[in-house]
Amino acid sequence: MFTNFDEAERAIRFPQDRRMFIGINPYALIIVFTFVFLTAGMAWLQYLLFGLPADPSIIMPASTLANPKSFPLWLCLSHWINFFFLVLIIRSGLSILADHPRLYWNRGCSPRSEWIRFTPIDVPDDRVYTAKEDGRYLNPVAGLPGYRHSVGIARAWHFITVPFFLLNGAVCIALLFFTNQWKRLIPTSWQELPDAWNVFVHYATFHMPLEPNGFYQFNALQQISYFGVVFILAPVAMLSGMSMSPAIENRFHWLPKLFGNRQGARSVHFLMMLAFVAFIIIHVAMVAATGLTRNMNHITVNTDDPASHTGLYIGLGIVLFTVGFGFLAHWISWQRPRSLQKTEAAINGTLWLKTINKLRPKVYYKQKDISPYFWVNGKMPESDEWRKLAMNDFKDFKLKIGGLVENPVELSLEELKKMGMEQNITMHHCIQGWSGIAEWGGISVKMLIDLVKPFPAVTIAVFYSFGEGLYGGTYYDTHSLDNCLKPESILAWEMNYHALPEKYGAPLRLRIENQLGYKMVKWINKIEFLETAEYIGKGYGGKNEDDEYFDLLADT
Ligand SMILES: Nc1nc2c(c(=O)[nH]1)N[C@H]1C(S)=C(S)[C@@H](COP(=O)(O)O)O[C@H]1N2
Ligand SMILES: [Mo]
């Protein structure tokens, strides 16, 4: 619906193989089952041996003047705004996940080291298998925008909505503390822990505890759950999300380290999503089970009326609006993807430019950190020109550097190597989600800039590849001069202390460490220094920016 894929695009976005699959590492399953059986088992044991514990809700004090009662309008609003954005964030997150449908705790992403995967495909070792090939189709009902390889559009949705979600959360938390509503969410006595357990024993053994009327107070388990969602799930989701940014990872290394590494952060980010989904399901079920109409009046119109249906209808209206917006979002995704890309650039692009893009990458990794496996991406060059050069080990290759420069040059690999070499061990961050650590050796881009002397008007460098993009046409990308001059920005001819292998981009590939992988052009042929990228390709600053709506600035 609303899509108009041509044949080439359809083959990629709506592939033959659309199988659903979930494969979980047996150890991960054992841990989950042990946890569930232990907690539920303990509840049952207590129930069978000692009977149901006393109902804690009736012990709790009745509402007093000091205690919050009712739900002020701002709380109702922020609750529903939160719901609206959460749906968009979860759905776009699923679409992002589908582009690299594997989760790990190790930062190298070796095949078969996943703890969970959403693809039936075993990575073959007998041929080059790209991470792009590995992307999965996702039904557009679940994912925003769904289909396959829609990570660019999905990220636009994710990053456009996240700031509003965070802003809503921040305003809500500020108001909680400004009023006395914080008392609803924050446990103030240790007694709440055993109380919450007692309530849990009720639920786990299929008994309903007494309902304390949420208009005035929550039961202890309910309060602790809400507290957990607002003060644990949301912040952990935010921090684990930020940990995946290359600009942050290679400067504030301690942040991803909180989760082990970038892949740990990615896994935790996924688990937070699961926790949100589990919460929504249980929350809605409990709201329905404890007096739907009355509860809906609480959270929409701030009345404790058990009979009026106003709240129910308003709530239903908001849910329908959210579903309707899903259709609109789908239409925008496939009919107006360019405006999405531009909106994201206006909001996040500007924000990153003023903040994390200013950070200078540092060196963290050591030789022992080099990943045993490194995923491959991109279409190998097919031109005769490149093949001939490759057959002769690139001895006849000349890198052409020109554009708006005083001193255009053509340099062979030998000449480049004589100019000097820098070696860095860094983490590669692919937009799809995988990462890998490798050693890269080559010449600093700064040295080349000093050599060719760009005119003052120059703001960007264009790197052209011998290879083509996914839908044909030269692969290229652009970088701001500023990022080219950052530490560790190099043109590499060496990977892991050996000549750069063909599949990893021989003769030369780019490394700009505060950016995502698609900006690291492989099989480089030519460099141009220009004032603007407007007249190259479709004018958005790179092959993926043109065709896949990726961000021009790839700090996150
Ligand atoms: N020429 C060319 N360069 C490219 C690509 C491509 O498709 N063509 N893909 C990019 C992407 S998306 C990534 S993640 C990295 C992958 O580098 P690797 O194969 O060394 O892991 O190369 C980048 N450079
Ligand atoms: Mo990538």
Side-chain angles (χ1 to χ4, degrees), residues 374-378 428 434 465 475 504 509 517 520 522-523:
F374 204 93
W375 281 83
V376 180
N377 245 344
H428 177 91
W434 58 270
S465 175
Y475 192 96
Y504 291 110
R509 72 166 297 156
M520 321 273 171
K522 294 160 67 174
W523 308 292

Side-chain angles (χ1 to χ4, degrees), residues 171-213:
V171 169
C172 176
I173 289 172
L175 284 170
L176 281 179
F177 288 104
F178 191 69
T179 62
N180 63 357
Q181 287 286 338
W182 62 271
K183 291 186 183 169
R184 277 187 178 281
L185 296 194
I186 300 185
T188 46
S189 136
W190 288 106
Q191 183 56 37
E192 305 232 2
L193 283 178
D195 282 355
W197 172 258
N198 287 345
V199 175
F200 176 74
V201 174
H202 278 79
Y203 292 135
T205 56
F206 311 115
H207 295 86
M208 281 306 244
L210 271 184
E211 173 60 27
N213 191 353

Side-chain angles (χ1 to χ4, degrees), residues 377 430-432 434 517-518:
N377 245 344
C430 176
I431 192 170
Q432 296 178 284
W434 58 270
Y518 63 91

